[in-house]
Amino acid sequence: MAGGGAEGPRPSPHGGCRCPRRCGRSYSAGGVSPGVPLSCPLPGVPKAVFAATEGRERFETRVTALENGLRVASQRKFGQFCTVGLLINSGSRHEAKYLSGISHFLEKLAFSSTAQFGSKDEILLTLEKHGGICDCQASRDTIMYAVSADAKGLDTVVNLLADVALQPRLSDEEIEMTRMAIRFELEDLNMRPDPEPLLTEMIHAAAYRENTVGLNRFCPVENTNKIDRQVLHSYLRNYYTPDRMVLAGVGIEHEQLVECAKKYLLGVEPVWGSAQAKDVDRSVAQYTGGIVKVEKDMSDVSLGPTPIPELTHIMIGLESCSFLEEDFIPFAVLNMMMGGGGSFSAGGPGKGMFTRLYLNVLNRHHWMYNATSYHHSYEDTGLLCIHASADPKQVREMVEIITREFILMAGAVGEVELERAKTQLKSMLMMNLESRPVIFEDVGRQVLATNTRKLPHELCALISQVKSADIKRVVTKMLHKKPAVAALGDLTDLPTYEHIQAALSSKDGRLPRMYRLFR
């Protein structure tokens, strides 16, 4: 056939067409005869060209280091849009020598006016031309500037990111607006019915007293007026250096991203000058354990037709490990196995209704409102904690139930519950990594910490290898540490820190008995 096309069906002597596979079936001139299987090619249709299965290298994360120390990481992903951003090794843990709350300020000031862009509106209009959106998030150890936009606008996006990170104007008006926004956020935080963000701050403060990840992530009210352009510049000079940055992109070609990085991030002098960083805090997290208590009237946090009853919230945590250690995977499986949630969670497949905190706690003790396991992990430490809520009169009983669960972690682990936790962890990992912004954050954080990235199939293989003996080993090691305790609400019946410590050192997790002469 001319033109290199596929050989079409040959005419049959009966006026129809004969199937090229010579299966004996013929086509009528008006179309396909009924009963022709789909495995037979249609008449006049060219031969299909199928996509070949490509090597795994197509899906590997590529990393290039520039001369100034900045790393460029990219991950291919099919689609018209890309997510590109700058991740910087800077956060509240680096504020020991500064006023607490600088990272909180920088998060709120992100994507404001810069050397090239006169206002936030101008930035948003520029992104709008490429169907883009922007976001900035600051955590304890990382600050992340990210943009999702059409891949054709990559040059504009990288130019904008470089300008936002290295050339912010930080005008007096913008700083004053940020002060107002932070004050409002702090006020809102204390009025919210869900105290989880507050408790997370408190448990970190108790576990790492006045060092690194124990430093406050939110700006204290008394510091809002003290932080100005000069303070911000002195901090940025030390922490916004190229060797502490990763430009990560998902859904774009690596070479293209490297070119843009060289164009906009190489040899650029920041607005605070290019003086050598000299006060960089490289402290390693020191786990101290301890207790942070906040007596608070929680009776009116949620009034209305169906008010939330007055609750006391407790969080008990123990040091786990950093995400760079091998034990990180067993701890992630353990956290999944503990699971938990609120007493009003609707059940359903994959909802975690067979996790220990549901089966042993919420299903047996109807008066408990919440029991949830959390695992916070950083590059030099980690914290596994359980958050529980109940009526103030039942605080002592609630604490004992949680300490018992910690002790039971070191006991026998059933094969079925272990396999279920591993499968649930793998499924959660794979489902989260279907989202482009999540892949971007995963690429950026891993490259920032290790200069490389473990791919999902590698992580799944590591999860599959976890045995019940691994769980027992990591828990036994964890139980030898001092506990960290955070308590919020009416704390009249809260056991002493020494009693909680004694319960976690006992065989059954029970609190020491208290004998009172007068009830």
Side-chain angles (χ1 to χ4, degrees):
M1 195 178 194
E7 183 190 354
R10 289 181 299 280
S12 78
H14 308 293
C17 283
R18 183 70 62 189
C19 172
R21 287 197 182 176
R22 301 172 193 247
C23 61
R25 299 186 186 275
S26 60
Y27 304 105
S28 62
V32 181
S33 304
V36 174
L38 292 173
S39 55
C40 285
L42 292 170
V45 175
K47 191 177 177 182
V49 179
F50 295 100
T53 52
E54 293 176 285
R56 192 169 275 165
E57 63 275 1
R58 280 292 299 269
F59 303 99
E60 282 179 4
T61 304
R62 293 179 64 188
V63 182
T64 301
L66 303 186
E67 300 93 281
N68 61 355
L70 182 130
R71 285 151 289 174
V72 181
S74 75
Q75 179 77 41
R76 294 184 69 159
K77 192 180 194 314
F78 178 76
Q80 183 187 346
F81 281 79
C82 66
T83 299
V84 182
L86 269 175
L87 287 95
I88 304 165
N89 185 4
S90 151
S92 57
R93 70 170 294 162
H94 301 109
E95 293 172 5
K97 297 175 185 174
Y98 296 88
L99 286 168
S100 177
I102 289 176
S103 297
H104 195 186
F105 256 79
L106 291 171
E107 180 186 36
K108 293 277 174 275
L109 282 162
F111 295 99
S112 295
S113 65
T114 68
Q116 283 183 50
F117 301 93
S119 67
K120 192 168 202 150
D121 288 347
E122 208 175 306
I123 287 175
L124 296 176
L125 280 167
T126 305
L127 286 175
E128 214 172 90
K129 288 172 189 168
H130 300 284
I133 53 167
C134 60
D135 186 29
C136 176
Q137 288 178 10
S139 62
R140 292 178 193 282
D141 54 0
T142 313
I143 190 160
M144 184 170 69
Y145 298 87
V147 170
S148 285
D150 192 307
K152 290 175 189 153
L154 182 66
D155 192 82
T156 308
V157 166
V158 177
N159 178 24
L160 184 133
L161 284 165
D163 217 41
V164 162
L166 301 174
Q167 310 283 339
R169 281 190 191 165
L170 306 177
S171 69
D172 294 342
E173 189 188 347
E174 285 167 350
I175 288 172
E176 194 50 52
M177 289 293 285
T178 302
R179 286 175 183 147
M180 286 165 64
I182 286 173
R183 285 190 205 112
F184 175 78
E185 192 178 336
L186 294 173
E187 212 175 297
D188 179 57
L189 207 62
N190 286 309
M191 288 162 65
R192 257 189 234 169
D194 174 28
E196 203 268 317
L198 270 181
L199 279 164
T200 304
E201 284 306 303
M202 289 163 66
I203 196 84
H204 278 84
Y208 306 93
R209 196 167 290 278
E210 292 174 7
N211 77 86
T212 58
V213 292
L215 300 173
N216 201 338
R217 196 166 70 84
F218 299 108
C219 179
V221 180
E222 62 272 16
N223 284 0
T224 50
N225 285 328
K226 296 175 189 171
I227 295 174
D228 56 20
R229 191 190 297 113
Q230 194 181 343
V231 172
L232 294 169
H233 277 185
S234 70
Y235 178 86
L236 292 165
R237 192 172 294 116
N238 287 317
Y239 292 99
Y240 275 40
T241 54
D243 57 305
R244 302 178 71 87
M245 293 182 183
V246 168
L247 177 70
V250 176
I252 34 88
E253 293 294 333
H254 186 72
E255 290 75 18
Q256 209 181 342
L257 188 63
V258 172
E259 279 307 307
C260 290
K262 285 178 179 173
K263 189 174 171 185
Y264 298 113
L265 289 159
L266 199 59
V268 176
E269 182 164 336
V271 72
W272 47 85
S274 53
Q276 197 66 34
K278 54 181 184 293
D279 279 335
V280 178
D281 186 354
R282 291 193 170 87
S283 308
V284 175
Q286 301 297 314
Y287 180 83
T288 58
I291 186 166
V292 171
K293 298 189 283 188
V294 176
E295 283 270 2
K296 190 178 173 193
D297 179 13
M298 306 283 277
S299 58
D300 59 351
V301 287
S302 176
L303 301 172
T306 52
I308 293 175
E310 184 182 355
L311 299 172
T312 294
H313 303 272
I314 305 290
M315 205 180 252
I316 299 174
L318 290 161
E319 189 182 21
S320 57
C321 72
S322 95
F323 58 67
L324 300 175
E325 293 175 51
E326 284 181 8
D327 285 347
F328 172 65
I329 300 290
F331 269 117
V333 173
L334 170 67
N335 181 49
M336 222 56 200
M337 196 171 80
M338 297 310 293
S343 58
F344 297 109
S345 293
K351 206 67 190 286
M353 287 299 182
F354 286 95
T355 56
R356 284 193 180 185
L357 292 179
Y358 265 114
L359 292 177
N360 303 350
V361 179
L362 293 165
N363 289 358
R364 291 186 188 179
H365 308 283
H366 61 90
W367 46 267
M368 278 187 75
Y369 272 75
N370 188 6
T372 315
S373 173
Y374 294 97
H375 188 216
H376 305 280
S377 206
Y378 306 96
E379 62 179 314
D380 51 2
T381 186
L383 193 63
L384 184 87
C385 37
I386 294 176
H387 167 209
S389 313
D391 186 274
K393 295 183 185 68
Q394 286 164 308
V395 169
R396 187 178 172 82
E397 201 178 338
M398 169 171 71
V399 169
E400 189 169 83
I401 287 164
I402 298 308
T403 54
R404 280 217 309 267
E405 282 306 312
F406 269 111
I407 297 298
L408 288 170
M409 285 181 196
V413 178
E415 197 57 43
V416 174
E417 70 170 340
L418 180 65
E419 283 306 314
R420 185 185 285 120
K422 281 154 66 173
T423 305
Q424 204 171 345
L425 181 60
K426 284 188 275 190
S427 115
M428 192 179 80
L429 174 77
M430 299 310 283
M431 282 193 287
N432 285 343
L433 288 172
E434 282 182 17
S435 159
R436 195 182 58 252
V438 174
I439 300 172
F440 155 75
E441 190 173 342
D442 183 50
V443 169
R445 283 182 182 276
Q446 285 201 51
V447 172
L448 197 61
T450 65
N451 291 324
T452 180
R453 180 185 180 227
K454 272 197 175 83
L455 293 172
H457 68 268
E458 295 175 72
L459 291 169
C460 286
L462 290 170
I463 293 166
S464 298
Q465 288 165 20
V466 175
K467 305 276 188 293
S468 55
D470 297 320
I471 303 288
K472 194 167 183 175
R473 174 176 53 78
V474 297
V475 172
T476 307
K477 185 178 162 188
M478 179 177 74
L479 287 169
H480 285 124
K481 307 278 175 69
K482 283 173 70 177
V485 182
L488 179 70
D490 179 351
L491 309 177
T492 315
D493 292 338
L494 179 73
T496 63
Y497 177 75
E498 290 70 29
H499 279 188
I500 295 171
Q501 197 173 352
L504 287 167
S505 307
S506 67
K507 284 184 179 177
D508 57 3
R510 291 187 181 278
L511 290 163
R513 296 298 103 197
M514 283 179 69
Y515 301 101
R516 294 181 189 166
L517 233 53
F518 305 103
R519 290 263 170 202

